[in-house]
Amino acid sequence: MTTADASIGAATMEPDGTIVLTLRAQGPGGMRGDGLLRYPPSHPQYQVVLAHLGGLSPGESKPVRPFT
């Protein structure tokens, strides 16, 4: 797996269809940042995120590849 293909976190879909992204970023000098993003089905970017993940079903989890 190349760096560009590496996972930056995990995505899970809740029973109501909400996508939850748990993400981590790393930078020079050991810097780290964690984020939790929630995308309910009504969110304007919901379909973009779902397509980036390659689809997701309620209860399913999968790695998140970097957004480009």
Side-chain angles (χ1 to χ4, degrees), residues 25-38:
Q26 297 179 313
M31 288 188 305
R32 274 197 269 191
D34 295 306
L36 179 71
L37 303 170
R38 298 177 61 83

Side-chain angles (χ1 to χ4, degrees), residues 45-57:
Q45 294 299 310
Y46 184 86
Q47 290 300 324
V48 172
V49 173
L50 188 60
H52 178 79
L53 297 170
L56 199 61
S57 300

Side-chain angles (χ1 to χ4, degrees), residues 13-41:
M13 184 176 279
E14 296 180 337
D16 69 355
T18 297
I19 299 169
V20 180
L21 302 179
T22 305
L23 305 177
R24 168 161 285 179
Q26 297 179 313
M31 288 188 305
R32 274 197 269 191
D34 295 306
L36 179 71
L37 303 170
R38 298 177 61 83
Y39 291 89

